[in-house]
Amino acid sequence: MIILAENPNLALWGKWLGDGLGTNADGSTAGNAIFGIFLSLVVYLIGQWLFKISKGFFLFQPLFVGMVLGIFVLFLLAKTFGTTTANFYRSAYKPGGDIIFWFLNPATIAFAVPLYRRNDIVKKYWLEIILSLIIGLSISLLVIYEAAKLIGLDRVGIASMLPQAATTAIAMPISNAIGGVGAVTATACILNSVIIYALGDWLVKFFRIDKDPIGAGLGLGTAGHTVGSAKAVQLGSIQGSMASIAVVIISIVVDLLVPPFASLVGLR
Amino acid sequence: MAATNHAIGDGRGTAHTNSGPEEYLRCDSIHSKSHLTLFPTALTVPTPVIDIVLLYILLATHILKRRNVEKFADFIISLTAFLFVPDGVQLAASLDILGAQGLQITAVVLIATIVRLVLVSYTAVGLI
């Protein structure tokens, strides 16, 4: 803050980055949205360029590169301005980020279209789809619970790991209810998307999931949320449809299954 | 809720609850009076999930024609990866959460993601 005031050059930056890092004089953190939008766009385009010139190296997926670069830039700028990364994120990036974030609503809703496009499959296999998600998630919960225990997470950590299959808005309150920390679960949900986005194609091939389009779609939707659906849409219409239905149903399955599971293993 | 957020300190909890569209990350939604009372309060159903179902019903009942929404839907779906950039960058606000048990949490999340992908897929293959 002091550096900002003394250096007119940096003060201009401060103005552009959201007027005062941390909080403004009036206590608000509202700033300029341009920086957030601009940074998101630039890092994503760099990611796209890297992906292209590396001929599709899986770690150079645009979203993954964009996210890592974006955090790195925020980290560096926060250091330069002498504030914490979290504060800098909130004051400089978030106003713009939220505007892009808002468009995720129509994007998520739009997955009803690929879902309906293969309504024939949905009508034919609806019971199998629901059963696959219930059985698949039940076994997954057990494996995740044991893995978390083995890796050495405490009770709070384990509870935070269980609801992550649901969309963030469902996963967070469940996590809090079974003794986890909602913010950790939200972080897990983001990481799910990033992992599926970066490794999805490779994992699908490695585990030979690609042979069955229904299974691949359901798996991608369950593991990678909306990003998994976007991946599945690229694989084919059946995959896209199944991933979209998985995102909807798995959230309800988590809602019904995770709290009793947590009681069963004695987490609460 | 407030206690949980306090426990992790530094406003990290609130950082997450305040970020992004409220529908996605509002963990207090089960406490808010404006919340849809159609469902029991223990069962949170976020708006995008309801909306997918609604749009699907509209399409399935032919109230909406597929060709009317298809173009825009395909367009915005192709943008999904870009729209998720702020979602990923949001981790900047919770780097310290990952700090304490960071490696372990990341490892468990990685395992959890792969386990779900493989088990749900294989279950479906087995059932169909």
Side-chain angles (χ1 to χ4, degrees):
Chain A
M1 289 294 279
I2 300 161
I3 313 166
L4 280 180
E6 282 170 356
N7 188 330
N9 227 349
L10 279 180
L12 198 71
W13 264 84
K15 192 94 190 151
W16 194 53
L17 292 173
D19 235 338
L21 305 159
T23 46
N24 295 333
D26 59 349
S28 72
T29 51
N32 198 329
I34 295 172
F35 176 71
I37 296 175
F38 180 72
L39 180 65
S40 309
L41 205 61
V42 168
V43 291
Y44 184 76
L45 289 176
I46 293 176
Q48 255 185 346
W49 175 74
L50 274 176
F51 191 65
K52 208 173 155 190
I53 62 159
S54 67
K55 298 200 173 65
F57 179 58
F58 71 100
L59 275 182
F60 285 165
Q61 301 263 15
L63 167 62
F64 187 63
V65 174
M67 174 202 134
V68 173
L69 263 184
I71 294 177
F72 186 65
V73 168
L74 290 182
F75 174 78
L76 280 186
L77 285 175
K79 272 253 151 46
T80 315
F81 291 121
T83 173
T84 64
T85 313
N87 264 338
F88 190 80
Y89 161 81
R90 272 194 289 279
S91 60
Y93 180 85
K94 200 173 168 288
D98 278 353
I99 293 177
I100 301 177
F101 219 131
W102 182 86
F103 285 95
L104 267 184
N105 282 325
T108 309
I109 298 159
F111 279 97
V113 173
L115 169 57
Y116 176 69
R117 202 171 275 151
R118 292 318 294 263
N119 208 18
D120 52 330
I121 307 281
V122 177
K123 273 183 175 162
K124 196 172 169 195
Y125 293 114
W126 64 272
L127 187 63
E128 285 89 343
I129 292 168
I130 294 174
L131 282 179
S132 309
L133 291 173
I134 293 176
I135 298 170
L137 189 78
S138 308
I139 311 170
S140 304
L141 282 178
L142 206 64
V143 177
I144 294 166
Y145 173 73
E146 291 299 334
K149 230 167 55 175
L150 202 74
I151 288 174
L153 287 189
D154 53 12
R155 280 165 76 99
V156 178
I158 297 174
S160 310
M161 288 297 104
L162 292 177
Q164 56 176 293
T167 165
T168 319
I170 290 181
M172 280 178 75
I174 296 178
S175 172
N176 288 319
I178 62 172
V181 177
V184 175
T185 308
T187 308
C189 290
I190 299 169
L191 282 175
N192 283 329
S193 310
V194 172
I195 291 167
I196 284 300
Y197 189 76
L199 302 175
D201 297 313
W202 180 80
L203 286 170
V204 162
K205 277 196 199 93
F206 183 81
F207 289 105
R208 296 168 198 273
I209 292 164
D210 46 353
K211 281 188 190 139
D212 183 69
I214 296 180
L218 292 177
L220 282 171
T222 311
H225 311 284
T226 310
V227 172
S229 304
K231 265 263 144 33
V233 166
Q234 290 168 5
L235 290 178
S237 65
I238 297 180
Q239 288 91 327
S241 171
M242 291 301 107
S244 309
I245 201 170
V247 169
V248 172
I249 295 180
I250 202 70
S251 288
I252 298 160
V253 173
V254 166
D255 232 342
L256 299 173
L257 226 57
V258 170
F261 178 82
S263 312
L264 201 74
V265 295
L267 276 175
R268 61 164 183 181
Chain B
M1 256 322 294
T4 332
N5 282 343
H6 260 289
I8 52 171
D10 200 20
R12 271 171 271 162
T14 41
H16 260 290
T17 46
N18 292 339
S19 53
E22 273 74 75
E23 287 85 353
Y24 269 85
L25 292 173
R26 190 174 52 201
C27 70
D28 309 277
S29 55
I30 47 170
H31 302 297
S32 76
K33 288 199 178 89
S34 63
H35 192 68
L36 207 62
T37 45
L38 200 65
F39 301 95
T41 42
L43 204 80
T44 328
V45 183
T47 31
V49 170
I50 298 173
D51 290 341
I52 294 180
V53 176
L54 282 181
L55 181 54
Y56 173 77
I57 292 173
L58 286 176
L59 286 167
T61 50
H62 301 287
I63 294 171
L64 261 178
K65 296 275 174 289
R66 203 174 92 184
R67 61 183 152 77
N68 292 338
V69 288
E70 204 162 34
K71 253 194 171 154
F72 181 73
D74 286 339
F75 167 69
I76 201 156
I77 285 173
S78 70
L79 288 183
T80 308
F82 168 67
L83 297 177
F84 264 95
V85 170
D87 191 57
V89 173
Q90 182 177 279
L91 287 180
S94 49
L95 282 180
D96 34 358
I97 296 183
L98 286 174
Q101 281 191 308
L103 263 178
Q104 284 137 300
I105 288 177
T106 312
V108 174
V109 173
L110 181 69
I111 294 170
T113 311
I114 299 173
V115 160
R116 265 158 31 220
L117 174 70
V118 173
L119 284 180
V120 169
S121 292
Y122 282 18
T123 313
V125 174
L127 283 176
I128 294 167

